[in-house]
Every structure is written in structure tokens, then in C-alpha cells.
Amino acid sequence: MAIAGIIIAVGLSEYRRKRHFARTPEPSGHERRARDEKNRLYVIQKHAASRLHYDFRLETNGVLKSWAIPKGPSLDPSVKRLAVEVEDHPLEYGGFEGVIPKGEYGAGTVLIWDRGRWLPEEDVSAGLRKGVLKFRLEGEKLAGGWTLVRLKEPQNGKPNWLLIKEMDAAAKPGVDITGERPESVASQQSIDDVANKTTRVWHSNR
Ligand code: MN
């Protein structure tokens, strides 16, 4: 889609191109219509891949806009966390907790670390274009005002953003939320529980 000379990647083609749905339990998903602005999904998935990171996802125009945050979010407004923009994911992905088998894209364990809804404070498409998105989160671990700010220099072709907590009642300077609350909000399991208890995808070569 081209708007005023800006090319915007939409849809799930990159998501699907990277994955073999016969071999990974991740959902292939569907493009969906944009839903009511007041009921848009927010989810963070803790992903113990070759490097542990936190995948931050905001439902936008029927898909989950996604950023990989190496250190995870911080409730401390003085801490800016790098958030690398990655491919859109299907809405169904927000319910995925399990093991991506060895050899597949993103191999490792995925846990639903936080979940709720998000409320943009301005037009989302305009914010994503200009590189400043202000919003509120209503999750179990993260709440209150947040800002995503795009940095000028993309790395490896992926735009880099910073995720920053606003100073408000939900801010907790000095609190290590990822350390204090490592568990899944969906199953209460730890990442090791998920890795050990999840039914693995069957492989003919086992
Ligand atoms: Mn990931």
C-alpha cells in the first residue's frame, strides 16, 4: 500500500513466509477487520529463543503490530528499552503459549507474560508514520501511560524504537518487573514449566 510515497507493509505475508505451519504449533492466522478501538488486544510474550526477549504486540488494523524487546519492558520512567520492529503477527498469536521446535524460525519457548487491552492516545496510523506513539496499557503487569519513539537509524533494515514508561501512578522506579513477575498470566507457568510440559509437535524423524 502506498500513501503519499510511503510504502507500508501490511498483512501477514512476511509472518507466513518465515514459518512452516506443518512443523510449528504457532497459528497461521487470518487477516481480520479492524475492531473497536476500545477493545484492542495488548500482549507481551516472553520468548526464550536463541536469545531471551519479550515480544510486545499491539492490535492494529486487524493484526498484531510487533516489536522485540531484548531486555523486556521497564516500569521505571528513566529506563528506555530498545524495541526492534518485527513482522506483523495474526491476532490468534496473542493466545499462543508453547514450544517452537528446534530448526524452526524462532525455535524456543513462548509464554504469555502479560495481556490486556491498549488505548491509543491519538491516531495510530499517524503515530506509526511519524514515529511517536502514545498509549495506555491495561494489562495485569503493565498499566498506565507509555510511549514508543522511533529512532532515526534502522539496524539490519528493521526500525528501532524505544519503549518508555510515562511518569504516572503506574510507574514504579527501581522495580524489576520482569524479574519479580516471570510467570505466565495465562497459565501461571514458568518458562521452564512451559518448555517441559507442553506437548511437542510430532516429527517423523524422531
Ligand atoms: Mn520473538
Side-chain angles (χ1 to χ4, degrees), residues 1-55:
M1 180 165 60
I3 297 171
I6 298 167
I7 306 300
I8 301 166
V10 294
L12 300 172
S13 55
E14 184 179 355
Y15 172 84
R16 294 202 179 107
R17 194 168 62 241
K18 288 177 167 175
R19 291 168 176 82
H20 304 101
F21 294 105
R23 302 208 287 267
T24 177
E26 296 164 289
S28 56
H30 301 88
E31 278 96 355
R32 295 180 181 275
R33 283 171 185 242
R35 293 196 293 185
D36 177 3
E37 286 218 346
K38 294 194 175 80
N39 283 301
R40 293 199 289 195
L41 177 66
Y42 140 71
V43 64
I44 294 179
Q45 282 155 317
K46 184 176 178 177
H47 186 182
S50 51
R51 285 193 188 155
L52 178 71
H53 59 273
Y54 293 77
D55 289 304

Side-chain angles (χ1 to χ4, degrees), residues 3-205:
I3 297 171
I6 298 167
I7 306 300
I8 301 166
V10 294
L12 300 172
S13 55
E14 184 179 355
Y15 172 84
R16 294 202 179 107
R17 194 168 62 241
K18 288 177 167 175
R19 291 168 176 82
H20 304 101
F21 294 105
R23 302 208 287 267
T24 177
E26 296 164 289
S28 56
H30 301 88
E31 278 96 355
R32 295 180 181 275
R33 283 171 185 242
R35 293 196 293 185
D36 177 3
E37 286 218 346
K38 294 194 175 80
N39 283 301
R40 293 199 289 195
L41 177 66
Y42 140 71
V43 64
I44 294 179
Q45 282 155 317
K46 184 176 178 177
H47 186 182
S50 51
R51 285 193 188 155
L52 178 71
H53 59 273
Y54 293 77
D55 289 304
F56 181 77
R57 310 191 197 279
L58 299 175
E59 178 183 347
T60 305
N61 297 327
V63 295
L64 294 173
K65 293 297 293 178
S66 296
W67 292 261
I69 305 180
K71 293 186 176 175
S74 174
L75 295 176
D76 188 332
S78 71
V79 175
K80 299 172 171 66
R81 287 284 158 84
L82 177 67
V84 181
E85 190 175 329
V86 297
E87 75 273 19
D88 294 347
H89 280 51
L91 277 187
E92 291 91 333
Y93 206 94
F96 175 68
E97 185 167 276
V99 176
I100 302 169
K102 259 187 193 149
E104 301 308 311
Y105 182 75
T109 308
V110 175
L111 168 157
I112 298 170
W113 185 79
D114 196 22
R115 196 166 53 179
R117 66 173 184 166
W118 77 286
L119 300 159
E121 294 194 350
E122 60 203 320
D123 181 74
V124 177
S125 298
L128 290 171
R129 267 200 307 277
K130 80 178 179 214
V132 180
L133 188 64
K134 287 185 175 286
F135 52 93
R136 300 185 60 74
L137 294 180
E138 294 181 0
E140 294 185 33
K141 297 175 185 172
L142 305 189
W146 296 75
T147 306
L148 273 165
V149 184
R150 190 169 56 221
L151 299 171
K152 290 197 176 72
E153 301 292 327
Q155 285 180 2
N156 306 321
K158 298 281 189 187
N160 283 351
W161 300 65
L162 296 173
L163 177 68
I164 307 162
K165 180 75 196 81
E166 297 286 310
M167 184 57 87
D168 60 20
K172 292 180 183 169
V175 167
D176 171 18
I177 187 66
T178 54
E180 289 186 8
R181 298 289 306 278
E183 82 289 353
S184 165
V185 295
S187 66
Q188 280 67 55
Q189 295 182 102
S190 70
I191 200 95
D192 288 344
D193 290 338
V194 176
N196 294 328
K197 288 179 189 164
T198 300
T199 306
R200 308 297 179 106
V201 174
W202 183 82
H203 285 278
S204 59
N205 61 359

